[in-house]
Amino acid sequence: MMRSVGICLSVALCCGMGVSAQQVSMANATPQQLAGIAKDNSRHFGDDPDDGGPLAKDLSHSLKPAAVAAAMRKVGDWQMARSEPYFDRIWTWSVLYSGYMAAADSLNYPPYRDAMLAMGKKFDWQLRSHLPDADDQSIGQTYLELYLLKKDPAMMKPTQEELDALIAGPHVSRRRGKTLVWWWCDALFMAPPVWARMYAVTGDRKYITYLDEEWAKTSDLLWDKQEHLYARDRDYLTRTEANGKKMFWARGNGWVMGGLARTLEYLPKDDPARAMYETQLKEMAARMAELQGKDGMWRSGLLDPANYDLPEMSGSALITYGLAWGVNHGVLDGKVYRPVIARAWSGMLDHVYADGRLGCVQQTGAEPAPFKATSSYTYGVGAFLLAGSEIRAMEMHPHRAGKAR
């Protein structure tokens, strides 16, 4: 059967048989996967209607800052209107908040930042749990960014108290059967940027020491030195795709690329581990350029794209964000990666609906899985806003997009 390429319309036909790519994809979903989608929808993370309506026709695929801003506002405003009443502290929301913080700065649009301030006050600047794992630390990124703007100690004190408690306690996972603190690769987006920001707030290098030590442990376990990709966790070190190649999840590796960017942004220039982070970003970027689809996006299973009918938005957006950040900060060569970024942004815009829905976002999970073309979840929008913000910076300051150092 032909695989759909390009715009993942739910009405796009495969093989002339009246079967859409969406139907092909969901026909392979297991009962457990369907139950997971229903749970995500019930928690207001997003939804996946059978019909998302027409795709947007008013967006330019240009990288000009105004064109990128229009796409960001269309998607960001749609998500805000749907989601603000349900704001929570779980990671699915905290990634969205990171996107809104970046977009507020990029677009000079205070309402997004005001919504984040209101969110922080709603939760009294508390993390989601005591002695939080990486997922529950992630909202601290937004709290600390707001503190750096407002200098209100109430915004950072609860997060600092929790990080200090984690430093003082055993540096092991509280989850049964796991040993590492950051035992899954997604954690490298959720937690390290919090620790780097806490260093920026306090100037205390103990937060960087903890960050460097724990990242090194995770990297030693999950980083594939031949493929230059991360396994999702220990259970996936030997997991393979239908074509026999290793299973590397696009969103999981997007989490790492985004985590590298967001950590490096606040990491001390003289940190001994900085070169390692930059090297990993360079190696992942080169691999992603090789794996990019003809439509500019990446499939959920990076090494078996033919096995996945639809491109996946959250992984693609996070990868694009990491690439654009790398170009903007002199880690990646703009001449090499700007075309990759341009193709990715254009491909992502093909999945924005007329009302602002951002489609092709895989539901929560730990590996590639079927989803609908209309599937839209909060963290995918956060990743899209992060990518757009860095692309605007790249285009507004083209001198930064030169040769990497």
Side-chain angles (χ1 to χ4, degrees), residues 369-390:
F371 55 87
K372 295 179 183 178
T374 60
S375 178
S376 187
Y377 295 98
T378 52
Y379 46 85
V381 172
F384 180 84
L385 294 175
L386 286 168
S389 297
E390 286 299 322

Side-chain angles (χ1 to χ4, degrees), residues 212 263-279 325 329 331 405:
D212 289 344
T263 299
L264 283 164
E265 189 168 359
Y266 286 88
L267 202 71
K269 299 296 183 184
D270 63 349
D271 179 34
R274 188 177 184 93
M276 181 276 291
Y277 297 127
E278 292 188 354
T279 296
W325 187 94
H329 291 80
V331 179
R405 59 178 178 270

Side-chain angles (χ1 to χ4, degrees), residues 166-220:
L166 289 170
I167 290 174
H171 294 188
V172 295
S173 174
R174 298 174 67 198
R175 181 163 175 169
R176 181 176 298 178
K178 306 297 182 182
T179 54
L180 300 184
V181 172
W182 299 333
W183 56 267
W184 71 117
C185 73
D186 317 28
L188 299 181
F189 181 96
M190 307 302 166
V194 179
W195 293 81
R197 283 158 176 74
M198 186 58 74
Y199 164 76
V201 165
T202 64
D204 193 330
R205 293 188 78 104
K206 69 181 181 181
Y207 301 110
I208 299 301
T209 299
Y210 181 97
L211 187 170
D212 289 344
E213 290 176 353
E214 297 308 320
W215 188 302
K217 295 174 188 176
T218 302
S219 180
D220 287 345

